[in-house]
Amino acid sequence: MVLLGLALLGTWDLTQVRHSILRNYPVLGHARFLMERIRPEIQQYFIESSTDGMPFDRETRDLVYERAKGTKDDEPFGTERDVHAPGYEFMAHSLRARQATDRAPTVRLGGPHCTQPYDIALLNISAMSFGALSPNAVEALNAGAARGGFAHDTGEGGISPYHRKHRGDLIWEIGSGYFGCRTEDGHFDADLFAAKAVDPQVKAISIKLSQGAKPGLGGVLPGPKVSAEIAETRGVPVGRTVISPPAHSAFETPIELVDFIATLRSLSGGKPVGFKLCIGSRSEFLGICKAMIERDITPDFIIVDGSEGGTGAAPVEFEDHMGMPLTEGLMLVHNALVGTGLRERIRIGASGKVASGSDIVKRVIQGADFTLAARAMMFAVGCIQAQACHTNRCPAGVATQDPARSRALVVPDKATRVHNFQRSTVSSAAQMVASMGLDSFAELDPSMLNRRVNSHTTRTYAELYEWLQDGELLDDPPSSWAGDWIDARTDRF
Ligand SMILES: Cc1cc2nc3c(=O)[nH]c(=O)nc-3n(C[C@H](O)[C@H](O)[C@H](O)COP(=O)(O)O)c2cc1C
């Protein structure tokens, strides 16, 4: 009788479409859901094992899961955060609170040299390659993007058939391996690039300079992982190990980088072209700004990635100790562009643990125009943060190339979740802006974000940080910036 019951349960688990874990682990997978149910009670009696060192805390993950499933309701009782702890941040609401509009805000990517501008959503899918993610995960993300009218960054692994099936808007990322547009020996191939970039589904092109979780590090895709499909997508031979070098071969200096931007824009028929980076040093970024001015060539957008960002695989030393966190990197890029008089021409994107409406509002206050999320989108397609991305044994079928595991992820169900998560997160951000008495995200400013600096003092971002005036670096750099401004070079990074 028991065996019959288990057999029936197992059959049901394998055929249902909502839970990838149960499709991959019939019967046994229920233990996870049981633990989830009784967790609040267990927490009351036992000290929960620490989540320190884990990429996302449980509360944030649960928020994403619930929004993705469409089950997120208001919370009873009030905050569980320690509002008196140093570092606690809060936004200033207004007694002139507005009614939030239903219209999802967008931001125009398209500087003076762009002829096919793109109106990007406030929250988009950050770069994750086919190869790092399973075919079904890529398909579900793109289908979600298509439904919700937001953008899906391909990651550096090229445009796969799974990116194309649902025709969701793409940002095509070009990394140092030039996958999808490379010569046989791994250099940039202009003809291949042009042929793909003009596809109407490609709305923008992003040159990847560096990534927060592993800045300055290339990548290796081992031969056994280079299946026929991955080889075709990346433009490399089947079964042969492929290497992404730590730096680009198409340019070596800031001047050459901005020239490359102009080349890509022209080859793509005038689409928005930008770059993504995690900030290392201020003078290096100022060197790029000087090159923009010297050549009168600007990217249409810059995506700032925080060192707290994620990856499929990287050495722990890089994850923990290299690169600038998003808050500092974002404010640096915003100030550098304001100070060089270029801010009006360039939109700024921010990625690094964006998972909620308040994350979006904070990042906009710190200088962003739009945001991107990678791991929160993985949660939306069923990732349980097993941290097994590099083993090919992802239990949720998200970060694996094993077809048996990938099939557990049911595309239409997860596409709905991606759409739900993006829509309700943006809507919650819009609600916050309305509660702050504002009509648009453009009205947010650093005086509206407060940080507790010790037990008896809070300060606004306007007070805590230095904010440059338009063109100030060109006219009269303040002493705090003058050294880096002088050191910044256009002829070498
Ligand atoms: C599985 C995985 C694969 C990634 N692949 C890329 C990539 O190909 N190119 C890239 O620029 N960033 C890549 N990233 C970084 C993300 O795009 C993003 O910048 C970073 O994770 C911060 O966002 P998050 O905190 O929302 O995850 C990857 C991240 C993850 C988790």
Side-chain angles (χ1 to χ4, degrees):
M1 197 62 185
V2 174
L3 284 179
L4 179 67
L6 289 176
L8 285 173
L9 180 64
T11 311
W12 183 83
D13 288 348
L14 283 169
T15 49
Q16 56 78 40
V17 295
R18 282 185 62 79
H19 301 296
S20 320
I21 294 291
L22 295 181
R23 286 165 66 87
N24 268 336
Y25 299 96
V27 184
L28 282 179
H30 286 279
R32 174 184 154 77
F33 296 104
L34 187 68
M35 288 308 288
E36 259 183 15
R37 279 223 179 129
I38 60 176
R39 200 175 59 222
E41 285 72 31
I42 290 182
Q43 278 171 341
Q44 285 181 359
Y45 295 100
F46 302 100
I47 297 169
E48 192 189 343
S49 65
S50 163
T51 54
D52 279 355
M54 290 181 73
F56 274 76
D57 60 47
R58 188 169 270 160
E59 200 181 326
T60 309
R61 256 187 307 157
D62 287 350
L63 175 73
V64 177
Y65 290 148
E66 287 168 30
R67 289 232 159 105
K69 289 180 195 161
T71 55
K72 180 67 192 161
D73 233 324
D74 294 342
E75 293 285 332
F77 267 60
T79 184
E80 290 180 24
R81 291 180 189 270
D82 181 356
V83 298
H84 301 294
Y88 172 72
E89 293 189 336
F90 59 99
M91 257 75 72
H93 71 284
S94 169
L95 296 177
R96 288 174 290 103
R98 301 269 200 278
Q99 193 68 41
T101 62
D102 287 340
R103 207 167 21 89
T106 55
V107 175
R108 176 148 292 201
L109 305 184
H113 304 295
C114 168
T115 54
Q116 297 195 53
Y118 174 60
D119 292 332
I120 196 164
L122 213 54
L123 175 62
N124 304 277
I125 303 169
S126 194
M128 290 179 284
S129 306
F130 167 55
L133 298 188
S134 67
N136 285 18
V138 172
E139 210 185 308
L141 289 171
N142 194 260
R147 281 191 214 168
F150 49 96
H152 178 190
D153 189 318
T154 60
E156 60 186 305
I159 309 174
S160 72
Y162 308 102
H163 287 101
R164 294 191 187 278
K165 209 161 159 185
H166 301 274
R167 306 299 293 170
D169 291 353
L170 291 179
I171 300 173
W172 182 16
E173 183 178 81
I174 312 289
S176 60
Y178 304 110
F179 296 122
C181 57
R182 64 190 250 138
T183 57
E184 255 176 46
D185 57 354
H187 295 298
F188 175 67
D189 184 319
D191 293 336
L192 275 179
F193 172 81
K196 289 183 185 157
V198 293
D199 179 339
Q201 194 190 350
V202 173
K203 302 296 180 192
I205 289 110
S206 174
I207 304 163
K208 177 183 167 183
L209 301 184
S210 59
Q211 181 182 333
K214 48 173 185 174
L217 204 63
V220 180
L221 190 64
K225 279 198 168 176
V226 185
S227 63
E229 234 169 10
I230 288 184
E232 168 73 22
T233 299
R234 297 197 177 206
V236 296
V238 180
R240 193 174 318 151
T241 297
V242 274
I243 294 186
S244 300
H248 279 261
S249 55
F251 53 88
E252 283 179 1
T253 67
I255 286 285
E256 289 174 10
L257 165 62
V258 295
D259 286 348
F260 188 60
I261 290 170
T263 304
L264 296 193
R265 199 156 36 216
S266 135
L267 289 170
S268 68
K271 291 186 179 173
V273 177
F275 58 81
K276 167 176 178 172
L277 86 172
C278 174
I279 293 291
S281 84
R282 191 160 70 173
S283 59
E284 258 188 8
F285 186 75
L286 288 174
I288 302 176
C289 295
K290 280 187 176 172
M292 293 179 202
I293 296 169
E294 199 174 313
R295 282 285 208 261
D296 190 26
I297 298 170
T298 40
D300 300 291
F301 62 93
I302 296 174
I303 297 170
V304 187
D305 198 27
S307 60
E308 62 269 54
T311 170
V316 69
E317 289 86 346
F318 278 75
E319 290 179 348
D320 289 351
H321 300 289
M322 284 285 260
M324 199 174 280
L326 182 56
T327 297
E328 284 77 10
L330 186 54
M331 293 191 302
L332 187 156
V333 168
H334 170 74
N335 273 308
L337 295 180
V338 171
T340 48
L342 296 168
R343 184 67 178 91
E344 285 301 310
R345 293 165 65 156
I346 303 167
R347 300 280 83 91
I348 299 178
S351 56
K353 288 197 154 181
V354 174
S356 68
S358 54
D359 294 334
I360 297 178
V361 177
K362 272 189 203 176
R363 295 315 181 189
V364 174
I365 288 179
Q366 293 166 353
D369 297 296
F370 64 99
T371 63
L372 308 100
R375 285 166 297 174
M377 293 291 180
M378 289 174 76
F379 298 151
V381 294
C383 163
I384 57 165
Q385 203 168 274
Q387 294 179 274
C389 310
H390 58 301
T391 64
N392 209 26
R393 296 176 55 80
C394 170
V398 178
T400 176
Q401 294 307 307
D402 176 348
R405 288 172 182 272
S406 170
R407 68 162 273 291
L409 192 162
V410 177
V411 173
D413 178 59
K414 297 298 191 274
T416 305
R417 294 191 190 192
V418 170
H419 179 201
N420 284 347
F421 165 65
Q422 193 272 356
R423 191 188 45 208
S424 55
T425 305
V426 170
S427 141
S428 130
Q431 185 69 62
M432 291 184 78
V433 168
S435 297
M436 293 165 82
L438 309 174
D439 291 320
S440 79
F441 284 78
E443 292 170 47
L444 289 166
D445 78 57
S447 69
M448 299 168 187
L449 178 57
N450 301 271
R451 168 181 279 253
R452 177 173 291 290
V453 289
N454 59 41
S455 62
H456 52 277
T457 320
T458 62
R459 293 263 183 272
T460 69
Y461 267 60
E463 295 165 328
L464 281 175
Y465 297 101
E466 184 178 20
W467 300 92
L468 296 187
Q469 298 300 311
D470 194 33
E472 195 175 344
L473 287 174
L474 306 176
D475 304 334
D476 181 18
S479 58
S480 50
W481 283 73
D484 285 337
W485 180 242
I486 291 162
D487 286 349
R489 294 180 58 156
T490 59
D491 60 346
R492 71 169 162 81
F493 284 118

